[in-house]
Amino acid sequence: DGGITQSPKYLFRKEGQNVTLSCEQNLNHDAMYWYRQDPGQGLRLIYYSQIVNDFQKGDIAEGYSVSREKKESFPLTVTSAQKNPTAFYLCASSIDSGVVVSDGYTFGSGTRLTVV
Amino acid sequence: AQKITQTQPGMFVQEKEAVTLDCTYDTSDPSYGLFWYKQPSSGEMIFLIYQGSYDQQNATEGRYSLNFQKARKSANLVISASQLGDSAMYFCAMRESPNFGNEKLTFGTGTRLTIIP
């Protein structure tokens, strides 16, 4: 079955370390997104990518980096510059972010990152 | 300014009763879509229902319906005959047209719904 796979489900990071969250989709979707979720704040957009080898900053990109070398993959790196990285991270994809307004997103099951 | 506003942080509802979750939005784009997602404690986001700005009728999907009042910029979710499994966080989201350069989904802060047996 098609879907989005996020790994790992739980991740622990020491202060000053970079960590990479994986997101893979086999839906043949063009666009992929990373959201951060904190309690009481809903989902906030970190980065998004509409095509391979191209991506744009979202509302809270500072301290994060991404790559889109393959259509299926959109990994997120949380760098040591991110001062408060403890959160729940959700990856999503959609068929085409540039044309059809009605398309919703398909979400992964999320990665819970904790700084120890 | 907030694009999506959900004013109910939490709600408690008796099982089998109907419940309305409020959502108001702000946009100057004539073409947009409104979505509702359910997030159980496990964390995944489950798509519930969609309403397009040009749709003449309110969207319905099983026990879910969307009370769309365009002039008031309101898109409330109605769950009929609530069940214990409906206990979750519910998010309202909006997607504007690419011409306005903001085709990404923007989410509200969510409402935590608890169904009481």
Side-chain angles (χ1 to χ4, degrees):
Chain A
D1 287 338
I4 297 181
T5 301
Q6 288 189 243
S7 61
K9 191 172 179 67
Y10 299 96
L11 186 58
F12 297 89
R13 192 195 91 170
K14 292 183 179 180
E15 296 271 1
Q17 278 186 339
N18 293 354
V19 290
T20 298
L21 283 58
S22 171
C23 178
E24 303 275 336
Q25 55 101 357
N26 60 3
L27 299 164
N28 199 33
H29 283 176
D30 300 299
M32 297 186 73
Y33 311 82
W34 273 106
Y35 284 88
R36 169 179 172 144
Q37 185 177 15
D38 296 283
Q41 295 194 46
L43 277 69
R44 293 182 291 169
L45 184 65
I46 305 172
Y47 268 99
Y48 66 103
S49 168
Q50 296 171 308
I51 57 173
V52 174
N53 292 322
D54 187 46
F55 47 83
Q56 285 79 42
K57 293 181 179 180
D59 301 317
I60 56 166
E62 186 175 351
Y64 300 96
S65 66
V66 293
S67 63
R68 188 86 186 275
E69 297 177 2
K70 300 186 300 181
K71 188 175 184 178
E72 302 79 18
S73 179
F74 191 41
L76 173 74
T77 296
V78 184
T79 75
S80 56
Q82 171 49 239
K83 297 306 179 188
N84 186 23
T86 295
F88 187 58
Y89 291 86
L90 281 160
C91 179
S93 69
S94 65
I95 293 174
D96 190 319
S97 72
V99 178
V100 181
V101 180
S102 63
D103 287 343
Y105 287 15
T106 300
F107 282 86
S109 56
T111 293
R112 194 166 299 278
L113 174 63
T114 303
V115 173
V116 296
Chain B
Q2 291 289 334
K3 282 188 171 286
I4 297 287
T5 302
Q6 295 181 253
T7 58
Q8 306 154 310
M11 290 188 69
F12 291 84
V13 173
Q14 204 76 37
E15 189 180 7
K16 299 180 184 176
E17 289 185 352
V19 56
T20 297
L21 305 182
D22 295 340
C23 173
T24 57
Y25 59 92
D26 182 28
T27 181
S28 55
D29 185 352
S31 176
Y32 54 90
L34 297 157
F35 302 79
W36 277 92
Y37 285 86
K38 173 183 179 181
Q39 187 181 44
S41 57
S42 55
E44 77 268 30
M45 298 286 283
I46 302 169
F47 167 74
L48 295 179
I49 197 166
Y50 164 80
Q51 179 85 42
S53 59
Y54 295 118
D55 293 343
Q56 295 296 316
Q57 294 187 335
N58 287 343
T60 60
E61 291 286 348
R63 294 187 299 113
Y64 304 107
S65 61
L66 200 152
N67 184 2
F68 182 47
Q69 299 186 41
K70 194 170 182 177
R72 298 178 60 185
K73 294 188 175 180
S74 167
N76 297 341
L77 177 71
V78 180
I79 306 174
S80 63
S82 58
Q83 303 170 355
L84 295 179
D86 293 333
S87 293
M89 282 289 288
Y90 289 81
F91 291 97
C92 180
M94 177 174 65
R95 188 177 189 184
E96 295 159 295
S97 71
N99 292 335
F100 275 62
N102 192 26
E103 63 272 24
K104 305 164 294 296
L105 269 182
T106 302
F107 287 84
T109 53
T111 296
R112 182 172 296 282
L113 176 64
T114 302
I115 306 301
I116 305 168

